[in-house]
Amino acid sequence: MKKLNGFTLIELLVVIAIIAILAAILFPVFAQARDKARGATCQSNLKQLTLAFMMYAQDYDETLAPMWGLNNCKSDAADAAPGCAPIPGSQPGVYTGTTWGGYWPDFIYPYIKAGKARAAAGAAATKNRGVFTCPTVDSFIQDISIGWGGNGWGTTGYGINQGYMHNDPIFPEDNSCGWACSRGDTLAAITHPSESIELGEGYVGIGPYYNGGYDLAKNAASELTAYPASGAYPAGYSANRPIEQSLQSDINNIVFGTETEDGTNCNGIGGYCHDRVFRVHAKSANYGFVDGHVKSFRATTMKMWTAASE
């Protein structure tokens, strides 16, 4: 009788066990490599956006693109109908689809010409955001702005610096033109461009601004409450003091949430005093600076959110 050669059951189980062990070791490595690739793409996107801001500034007397701009506005109290409305016949913002004006992606779009959040006002998100969203969050971020005049800023995965730190906002907003107008800052006013955040990972606007208000006089007092004296830091602004960071359990609620990562909730401030940043790369986030360079940080400091404070 001819003897048949083959593996025994024990040998097969040993081989399967070895394969399972190798898979358990290698799969996390593959996941880390994939996240590294996404992080590199994210940094590349931010680099393109910061360069677009620089080109915009060169075309507009060294003034950077604002957070948003409004059309057909009436701001004078003597106006019969103060406020803002779409200009009849005007096209929606080329990226966001906003009808009453545009957000910063719309202003720098001529220098990018890639991606689109909405094809038209009120339309569904196109899911073709181009360089305006990090690939790590592109598949699951929600359009939290839906219903707000048909704009699509909620499908933007990067945000402009709105940080109100030490009464020195890099992109100021106020009520001087009737409703939350925005002005781009001038390059001459930014005394440390290599340390001043211009863009970062998050929805269309990021950075702490106390009580969510546009009145800087209020924010001066709120800053003292949000950041009481602690250790080597006095109350309020201190250049190297770390900024409160947003709780990351649900990044779709970061922009309107008040919860902080360490649970202080900014010591009683009810507004958005935390950084409102997506930290999805091994608990770090990528930032583009005014001078055009891009870098990843786990935490940021107060000085990084200001234009001229030392």
Side-chain angles (χ1 to χ4, degrees):
M1 183 175 177
K2 187 176 180 180
K3 183 179 180 182
L4 297 176
N5 295 321
F7 294 108
T8 66
L9 178 60
I10 296 299
E11 289 172 332
L12 287 173
L13 291 175
V14 169
V15 170
I16 292 171
I18 292 173
I19 292 173
I21 292 171
L22 290 174
I25 294 172
L26 293 176
F27 282 170
V29 175
F30 295 152
Q32 290 176 10
R34 182 173 56 187
D35 187 63
K36 284 284 186 182
R38 288 174 174 170
T41 300
C42 180
Q43 290 187 338
S44 176
N45 290 350
L46 273 173
K47 182 66 176 179
Q48 293 183 64
L49 295 175
T50 56
L51 290 177
F53 264 80
M54 295 175 72
M55 289 187 285
Y56 179 98
Q58 295 305 312
D59 286 344
Y60 290 92
D61 296 326
E62 296 196 341
T63 300
L64 294 163
M67 164 65 170
W68 59 53
L70 310 173
N71 57 32
N72 199 28
C73 289
K74 298 180 179 180
S75 59
D76 194 323
D79 287 330
C84 301
I87 297 175
S90 64
Q91 294 296 314
V94 65
Y95 179 81
T96 64
T98 304
T99 59
W100 43 257
Y103 285 91
W104 64 263
D106 300 311
F107 301 138
I108 68 167
Y109 193 87
Y111 309 97
I112 298 291
K113 293 187 177 178
K116 188 179 288 290
R118 293 186 182 281
T126 65
K127 299 295 182 69
N128 178 26
R129 305 179 185 107
V131 300
F132 290 98
T133 301
C134 173
T136 302
V137 302
D138 186 59
S139 63
F140 63 85
I141 61 169
Q142 301 173 9
D143 186 355
I144 58 173
S145 67
I146 193 166
W148 290 11
N151 65 68
W153 66 257
T155 61
T156 301
Y158 299 111
I160 199 171
N161 177 1
Q162 284 186 288
Y164 292 155
M165 299 302 307
H166 199 46
N167 288 340
D168 183 18
I170 189 170
F171 294 103
E173 296 180 28
D174 59 35
N175 289 316
S176 64
C177 61
W179 176 72
C181 289
S182 179
R183 303 184 301 274
D185 211 350
T186 61
L187 293 178
I190 303 173
T191 60
H192 48 274
S194 65
E195 298 175 276
S196 295
I197 293 171
E198 182 173 66
L199 297 167
E201 296 188 71
Y203 284 115
V204 70
I206 60 174
Y209 58 111
Y210 306 111
N211 280 340
Y214 302 116
D215 184 349
L216 295 183
K218 280 190 213 173
N219 294 335
S222 297
E223 182 180 281
L224 296 175
T225 303
Y227 290 89
S230 175
Y233 303 116
Y237 179 87
S238 184
N240 295 318
R241 184 169 186 160
I243 285 289
E244 293 279 5
Q245 298 187 129
S246 60
L247 186 67
Q248 299 286 299
S249 58
D250 181 2
I251 67 170
N252 285 311
N253 291 326
I254 282 178
V255 70
F256 297 124
T258 60
E259 294 180 290
T260 57
E261 189 178 63
D262 64 2
T264 64
N265 293 333
C266 299
N267 299 292
I269 294 298
Y272 322 123
C273 52
H274 54 74
D275 61 13
R276 299 178 293 150
V277 169
F278 301 159
R279 290 185 299 281
V280 292
H281 306 290
K283 296 186 178 180
S284 296
N286 295 307
Y287 300 87
F289 290 78
V290 176
D291 70 343
H293 85 278
V294 175
K295 193 171 182 180
S296 177
F297 290 94
R298 173 66 181 87
T300 56
T301 62
M302 286 186 164
K303 181 179 179 179
M304 294 165 69
W305 295 95
T306 65
S309 297
E310 299 297 336

